[in-house]
Amino acid sequence: MSTGHAGPAAATAAPALRRRGAAGRVVPAVALVVLAVSVVAATTLGPADVSAVNVRDVLTNHLGLTAIPVRVSEDAIVWNERLPRALVAACVGAGLGVSGAILQSLLRNPLADPFVLGISSGASTGAVLVGFLGLGAGALGLSGGAFVGALVAFGLVLLLDRLVGGHGDRVILAGVASTQLFSALTSLAIFAFADSDETRGVMFWLLGSLEGVRWDDVAVCAVAVVLGLAACLLRSRDLDAFAFGDDVAATLGIPVARVRALLLVVTALVTAVLVSVSGAVGFVGLVLPHAARFLVGPLHGRLLPATALLGAVFMVWVDAGSRVAFAPTPLPVGVGTALVGVPAFIALLFRGRRTR
């Protein structure tokens, strides 16, 4: 009896699986090409007019492939300002997207996001303490303070989660508590210590900003994203098993608690590094994993690379749009991601309501 029903079902599912498998190979390749084109195109945008040919010449000159004469001003704009900014934007989009995909899988919550763990609020507090109180200023700097604050906030989340039993769903509640605590501490520090100029600068950074990023920021972000993505891909089959629940994963021989703790730490550290450079950028980790799942399916061996590339392309263009929308004054990139992410978030809510 069951065999009679399995045949047609399998026949119907097979073409869909083949299409998803083909998409899993095609989408990353196409997205990689689109990302390269997007970085070059975004580098041409800004108050000063720079052509794609000039971007190519500057890039090949610095790579030692050519020696084409280029204006000093154009070389400085492309190599020292716009290209590092576009590459950092790509790293931020890739890292936050992958972190969101991991958290949604581990917590089995389609609305999970890296910032639900309170990392953004912790980074904000760290930045404010460094900026207003001068704790480690010069040696640590704004980004270093944000990084330390993010790690402290995540440590608090892990501690709370462990105290209440170590269940994945309670990590979200612990993250909410951590977010509220560190947001309150940030507001208190601004109210107590900031003058008008300091408040303006810090608030701009808190909204998400890629102003002033340099090649060392590119290196830090790229290393964090590559290592984080590699660590998650090594556990991609474990993540596939988590979709069926902890009990099923355990019966397959997966050390559930250890894998969950490892991947939570990896995603938190990647997010902390990115937030320390870019400030608070929301909705990337929430929306992009769903777009990738729609294109390549839920298997993490295909999902994570696709999410990384889609997130990178998304952030490059959001940053480019934010940079030129109110030129010469740049719009905080976190505002741009929110303007795109909020409608997508609402769509996810309605989609979840219809599937109940």
Side-chain angles (χ1 to χ4, degrees):
M1 181 75 68
S2 59
T3 304
H5 290 288
T12 303
L17 292 175
R18 287 195 294 269
R19 287 195 297 271
R20 286 292 178 88
R25 294 186 294 270
V26 173
V27 170
V30 173
L32 187 61
V33 174
V34 172
L35 175 60
V37 173
S38 298
V39 169
V40 173
T43 306
T44 67
L45 301 176
D49 186 22
V50 178
S51 68
V53 174
N54 289 338
V55 173
R56 181 203 62 191
D57 293 343
V58 170
L59 180 59
T60 55
N61 285 349
H62 280 274
L63 293 177
L65 302 176
T66 60
I68 302 172
V70 179
R71 291 180 182 177
V72 175
S73 59
E74 291 181 346
D75 182 90
I77 290 172
V78 171
W79 187 255
N80 296 329
E81 296 181 13
R82 295 185 186 173
L83 187 57
R85 178 168 179 156
L87 292 176
V88 169
C91 289
V92 170
L96 294 181
V98 169
S99 296
I102 296 298
L103 290 175
Q104 289 169 11
S105 298
L106 290 179
L107 305 179
R108 302 181 69 188
N109 187 331
L111 302 181
D113 176 83
F115 294 92
V116 78
L117 295 179
I119 296 174
S120 178
S121 296
S124 302
T125 303
V128 166
L129 291 176
V130 168
F132 295 164
L133 303 180
L135 300 178
L140 197 59
L142 188 67
S143 294
F147 178 69
V148 172
L151 292 183
V152 171
F154 181 63
L156 176 61
V157 171
L158 290 182
L159 177 61
L160 292 174
D161 180 56
R162 186 176 184 84
L163 291 176
V164 298
H167 298 291
D169 56 341
R170 294 183 182 177
V171 173
I172 295 179
L173 300 178
V176 171
S178 178
T179 297
Q180 295 301 315
L181 172 62
F182 283 94
S183 294
L185 291 175
T186 301
S187 300
L188 178 63
I190 293 174
F191 180 80
F193 302 111
D195 58 31
S196 58
D197 292 336
E198 289 174 331
T199 299
R200 178 182 176 86
V202 172
M203 291 303 297
F204 189 86
W205 182 86
L206 293 177
L207 292 172
S209 174
L210 297 178
E211 290 295 308
V213 297
R214 294 294 180 260
W215 282 105
D216 55 347
D217 298 313
V218 176
V220 169
C221 292
V223 168
V225 171
V226 170
L227 293 180
L229 178 59
C232 294
L233 284 174
L234 289 175
R235 292 290 183 176
S236 60
R237 292 188 177 181
D238 296 345
L239 287 166
D240 293 338
F242 272 96
F244 300 98
D246 292 356
D247 293 338
V248 173
T251 59
L252 295 175
I254 297 171
V256 173
R258 188 171 65 190
V259 171
R260 175 178 282 114
L262 171 66
L263 293 178
L264 285 175
V265 169
V266 168
T267 55
L269 290 176
V270 170
T271 304
V273 170
L274 299 177
V275 169
S276 73
V277 174
S278 67
V281 179
F283 289 99
V284 178
L286 173 64
V287 176
L288 271 300
H290 291 283
R293 285 190 190 93
F294 177 78
L295 293 174
V296 303
L299 296 180
H300 289 81
R302 300 192 297 255
L303 174 65
L304 297 180
T307 302
L309 290 169
L310 291 176
V313 172
F314 173 77
M315 273 301 300
V316 167
W317 282 111
V318 169
D319 176 59
S322 300
R323 193 170 67 245
V324 302
F326 296 95
T329 302
L331 181 72
V333 70
V335 176
T337 58
L339 290 175
V340 177
V342 168
F345 179 81
I346 294 172
L348 289 175
L349 292 178
F350 278 99
R351 179 183 178 187
R353 180 182 179 182
R354 288 197 301 268
T355 55
R356 289 180 182 177

